[in-house]
Amino acid sequence: MQEYSSQAAYDRGEAVCVIGAGASGLIAVKNLRENGFEVDCYERDTVLGGLWNPENQHCPLYPNTHLVTSRALTEIPDFPMPDHWPDYPSAALMLEYLKSYAAHFGLGEHIWYGSEISHVEPVEGSRFEVVVKPAAGSAARRLRYGAVIVATGHHWVPNLPSYPGQDRFRGTVLHSSQLKDGSRLRGKKVLVVGGGNSGVDIACEAAVGAARCVHSTHRGYWYLPKYLGGEPSDYALARLNRRRPRWLRRFLTDRLLKGPRRLADRMGMDRPEHGHTDEEPIRNGRYLEHVGDGSIERRPEITRFDGLEVGFADGTEMRPDVVVLATGYRPKITCVPAGLLGADGDPDHPKLLARMFSPRVETLAVAGLVEPGAGVLPMVHWQTHAISHWLTIRRGDPERAANFRQQVVSESAQYELESNGTSPRHALAVDAEEYLASLGRIIDTLEQEPAS
Amino acid sequence: MSLQTWVSRTRAPEPVSVKRETAVVEPADLLDADYRDDPDASPVLCCTGDPAGAAAFGALWLKRIATDGRYAAAVSVRGQGSTPAAAGGTGAFVHDVVQAAIGLPRRTVLIGHGHGAAWCAEAAARYPAAALVMVAPKKLPKRIPKPVGSPPVMLAVSEADSQSKRVQAVTEAYGIAPLTFPGSGDEVFKGPNAEGLLDAVLSWLNRG
Ligand SMILES: Cc1cc2nc3c(=O)[nH]c(=O)nc-3n(C[C@H](O)[C@H](O)[C@H](O)COP(=O)(O)OP(=O)(O)OC[C@H]3O[C@@H](n4cnc5c(N)ncnc54)[C@H](O)[C@@H]3O)c2cc1C
């Protein structure tokens, strides 16, 4: 592609702008192209694959990241991963997969690298003006599009807690995204903070490599091994969702979860206050064994830092060399005015219709802003499938489009997050099964033959 | 593939993985040309119900397709050629075709012959093929699977079969007219009839 000239906004007509070339952006481009749209995809970094690419400047991967969702439930529905790959592929395989997806569908030619979108603004009703942040020494480029899909991910702005006395602490404090490789932990006294998948994985790394590993968490989680009953656990549990009647399903599910539950009790874990599908469970079979053999020492929440020391809520203290904050990320979308995402008061908590459509402008959507506790890529596939169909119908049949809009609004009501014991950090959580069913209904409506 | 079909499939066990035999002829093997030269020339993946599997396409099909500037491949599904047999039935054959397709460098054309045409038709409902070509299909499912990504579809049947009810139902489902070729639907791998058929398929793929 050649460079656009700088000054006036370049009008790309009905073309669609996709922001971000991570997994979600790639899937969006592929599905939009398949539905006949012209697409320009902007990626601020110089590589594709988003967080799975260690060459991405802000890559949040930690040592030895592997998928926590199994291959068959993580792969993109119309482009499976090679079936000889392991059940839980590594980050490197995940990147290889995304690269082969992009090559297979010729997505590269639609991506502009080194192009950060700094601002998106509605113009002429439902169209957008998009501003590409200038590279050093050049003017900002402005372009106009018929629609915008935001696929910027939500693992770029670390969520950093602050504790009393932390600024005077003399050890090293790192966010999990700064860890990169395990060498920084080797031989050290390590304190890992945060009970999510990252914290648990990193604690397991430290359990074998560090001199000592202390793990501080402040609430209960579901701890599941990666396999249950001889099958990948997400698959084993998802399969039971098909069982009827409901009591039988509950019985079978409880039976499957009983072992891990008893083990967690034995290890002194707090009981989670939410169901196992309400937020992403912890999927790591090694963790509880490390707790059991003492190579991971569990502590409650941190209460204070003090010079060389860290104190915990149970009154114990330690002197860590390294503190790793595996405290997650804040889902900030900075390039779009918060109001367009229904996040007026609180930029960290967008309120999208059906978790994807802007409540304000019909031609703005977000892909991948969900944590389904299951593979994210399939959700994004069906989201962008729906978005592409929606844009097509909106163009050709405004009346049908209006009816559809109502359905989406009522579907969305189901996702108003109730206080179900999950923390605010998990505001993106959806129950995979329910969300898929909802996407299914939305897609069915879109694909119904228009009434003539 | 609808979301619901996908959900059901992911809630059932995946067919066991087998080491699949594939035969590949690249344009560069025969000519001073590379399939990468022309991004519009999709690769082609062939599959037959004949127990010989990939080998059936070796002598004529793969060479001629590659001469046409396309990456030409054929796969032996489980139990064919040197691919070990494994459980799974039709669903597993379809799985093998899809797995072979995703291994190719670009979005591929699926050409299926005999029972292979039925597997390719099902594969095209899971994977967005660049085009779907069914040659003398056998045992196509009653409910014709709707392809994903709306690929162009071609049906080639022997003259003798062209009037059958089944062929009419298939052409109706896809909204296409069948191409007919002389001779038997089983003799598509060699001889003048086979060459004529292959040329017709290639010119359809190249129709611009
Ligand atoms: C450690 C870790 C483990 C995970 N494990 C799993 C797992 O096992 N299974 C699973 O399904 N999911 C997992 N995930 C979730 C993961 O978020 C998804 O799998 C998926 O990669 C998300 O892709 P994305 O494209 O939405 O976001 P990202 O991969 O974050 O990509 C966003 C892209 O947008 C670009 N970008 C951002 N802002 C701009 C801008 N203003 N202009 C232009 N470009 C921009 C970024 O550079 C990036 O390339 C994991 C996440 C993490 C952090």
Side-chain angles (χ1 to χ4, degrees):
Chain A
M1 271 182 153
Q2 81 286 3
E3 275 287 315
Y4 292 128
S5 74
S6 46
Q7 317 87 18
Y10 183 96
D11 196 329
R12 292 284 286 124
E14 285 306 303
V16 180
C17 169
V18 173
I19 309 176
S24 302
L26 294 173
I27 297 171
V29 175
K30 148 44 181 82
N31 283 336
L32 285 162
R33 293 284 305 144
E34 204 168 282
N35 284 280
F37 289 91
E38 282 238 28
V39 185
D40 291 342
C41 174
Y42 295 95
E43 169 54 53
R44 68 175 173 199
D45 213 281
T46 54
V47 290
L48 57 71
L51 64 80
W52 295 107
N53 197 329
E55 286 175 45
N56 191 312
Q57 263 192 53
H58 309 278
C59 170
L61 297 179
Y62 46 81
N64 231 337
T65 310
H66 279 72
L67 290 185
V68 292
T69 51
S70 68
R71 171 168 54 77
L73 293 181
T74 307
E75 63 198 12
I76 303 164
D78 62 359
F79 190 76
M81 293 186 193
D83 63 359
H84 60 270
W85 280 12
D87 287 334
Y88 292 97
S90 64
L93 282 180
M94 189 68 170
L95 177 61
E96 185 181 325
Y97 173 62
L98 293 174
K99 283 182 171 167
S100 87
Y101 180 75
H104 201 89
F105 294 107
L107 307 180
E109 61 183 287
H110 307 288
I111 305 174
W112 296 71
Y113 290 104
S115 303
E116 176 167 353
I117 300 301
S118 54
H119 191 64
V120 172
E121 190 180 296
V123 288
E124 308 161 26
S126 61
R127 292 168 49 72
F128 293 94
E129 188 156 310
V130 166
V131 183
V132 186
K133 194 172 168 179
S138 61
R141 286 183 290 152
R142 297 172 161 275
L143 301 99
R144 289 196 172 188
Y145 289 94
V148 169
I149 298 185
V150 181
T152 50
H154 52 89
H155 295 96
W156 304 108
V157 184
N159 174 52
L160 295 171
S162 69
Y163 301 99
Q166 193 180 338
D167 45 342
R168 292 184 308 279
F169 179 65
R170 279 181 270 146
T172 309
V173 181
L174 299 168
H175 184 260
S176 60
S177 58
Q178 296 169 298
L179 197 55
K180 303 298 176 203
D181 69 282
S183 63
R184 306 186 78 152
L185 305 179
R186 211 151 294 145
K188 300 278 170 54
K189 280 174 282 174
V190 177
L191 167 59
V192 181
V193 183
N197 274 302
S198 306
V200 163
D201 283 356
I202 294 169
C204 287
E205 281 295 303
V208 287
R212 182 180 177 199
C213 173
V214 173
H215 187 201
S216 157
T217 60
H218 72 283
R219 66 185 183 94
Y221 284 88
W222 276 95
Y223 294 92
L224 299 183
K226 280 187 164 170
Y227 293 91
L228 279 173
E231 292 170 334
S233 30
D234 52 356
Y235 170 77
L237 287 165
R239 220 141 85 90
L240 295 180
N241 284 319
R242 310 250 110 184
R243 300 299 283 267
R244 300 285 182 274
R246 188 185 295 250
W247 64 263
L248 177 64
R249 181 180 353 147
R250 187 161 318 137
F251 170 77
L252 293 170
T253 306
D254 285 347
R255 198 174 62 176
L256 208 52
L257 293 176
K258 194 165 144 203
R261 193 83 195 233
R262 279 179 58 185
L263 184 57
D265 283 347
R266 183 179 175 87
M267 296 301 152
M269 310 290 171
D270 296 332
R271 284 223 163 192
E273 286 160 26
H274 52 272
H276 78 279
T277 58
D278 288 348
E279 70 166 39
E280 199 158 5
I282 308 308
R283 283 180 274 233
N284 183 321
R286 293 177 300 154
Y287 179 71
L288 293 178
E289 302 208 341
H290 281 306
V291 174
D293 67 17
S295 50
I296 294 175
E297 302 166 49
R298 303 246 321 156
R299 294 286 184 278
E301 192 159 20
I302 294 177
T303 48
R304 62 182 172 87
F305 280 78
D306 193 359
L308 289 169
E309 239 154 47
V310 178
F312 301 96
D314 60 359
T316 59
E317 41 199 39
M318 81 173 288
R319 292 185 166 214
D321 303 314
V322 185
V323 180
V324 182
L325 300 174
T327 39
Y329 297 83
R330 300 168 64 185
K332 271 207 164 32
I333 296 179
T334 48
C335 56
V336 181
L340 295 186
L341 305 174
D344 303 80
D346 179 0
D348 280 3
H349 295 111
K351 281 215 165 52
L352 300 162
L353 299 179
R355 296 285 173 123
M356 57 182 166
F357 292 107
S358 159
R360 299 282 167 75
V361 190
E362 294 187 354
T363 44
L364 176 66
V366 182
L369 201 61
V370 286
E371 289 187 336
V376 175
L377 277 49
M379 306 286 162
V380 175
H381 174 81
W382 298 114
Q383 282 184 329
T384 55
H385 180 93
I387 296 167
S388 308
H389 276 61
W390 154 248
L391 291 175
T392 307
I393 290 174
R394 197 178 164 279
R395 220 170 258 185
D397 191 344
E399 197 176 319
R400 255 184 88 201
N403 290 338
F404 168 75
R405 200 75 188 163
Q406 281 180 347
Q407 191 204 333
V408 171
V409 170
S410 66
E411 285 290 340
S412 312
Q414 308 205 10
Y415 295 103
E416 283 308 324
L417 203 80
E418 305 299 337
S419 160
N420 56 3
T422 63
S423 78
R425 187 157 82 66
H426 295 87
L428 303 181
V430 287
D431 180 307
E433 206 73 17
E434 281 175 26
Y435 187 57
L436 276 173
S438 175
L439 282 176
R441 287 189 294 270
I442 289 174
I443 290 170
D444 284 348
T445 314
L446 285 169
E447 290 185 345
Q448 262 161 28
E449 292 303 319
S452 47
Chain B
M1 162 184 53
S2 71
L3 184 150
Q4 290 81 1
T5 346
W6 170 77
V7 169
S8 325
R9 200 170 66 242
T10 55
R11 303 298 186 259
E14 187 185 48
V16 292
S17 174
V18 292
K19 198 166 164 12
R20 282 171 287 270
E21 171 195 39
T22 51
V24 174
V25 182
E26 291 193 35
D29 298 338
L30 307 171
L31 314 162
D32 183 17
D34 193 288
Y35 69 89
R36 294 177 195 85
D37 296 345
D38 178 3
D40 293 330
S42 312
V44 173
L45 175 66
C46 306
C47 163
T48 174
D50 189 301
F57 295 97
L60 171 65
W61 284 68
L62 296 188
K63 282 197 193 111
R64 189 160 297 194
I65 294 168
T67 311
D68 196 46
R70 295 169 185 273
Y71 184 103
V75 61
S76 299
V77 301
R78 52 198 67 209
Q80 291 183 334
S82 64
T83 301
T90 307
F93 299 143
V94 176
H95 169 88
D96 287 335
V97 174
V98 173
Q99 282 288 321
I102 57 123
L104 299 189
R106 286 202 303 256
R107 196 174 163 191
T108 184
V109 175
L110 297 176
I111 300 185
H113 167 251
H115 289 107
W119 307 331
C120 285
E122 301 253 26
R126 294 189 193 177
Y127 158 87
L132 169 63
V133 178
M134 292 170 289
V135 177
K138 283 187 186 141
K139 291 241 173 89
L140 276 175
K142 277 246 158 43
R143 284 188 53 169
I144 300 294
K146 188 168 177 278
V148 289
S150 10
V153 178
M154 178 188 194
L155 174 68
V157 292
S158 71
E159 277 159 4
D161 287 339
S162 64
Q163 298 305 319
S164 82
K165 275 229 171 68
R166 191 65 202 128
V167 166
Q168 280 174 10
V170 174
T171 52
E172 215 162 275
Y174 287 107
I176 51 170
L179 176 115
T180 57
F181 60 91
S184 147
D186 291 330
E187 281 154 28
V188 298
F189 297 116
K190 57 175 196 278
N193 287 345
E195 294 187 25
L197 166 64
L198 179 49
D199 287 339
V201 169
L202 284 172
S203 70
W204 179 78
L205 285 177
N206 293 333
R207 74 208 175 285

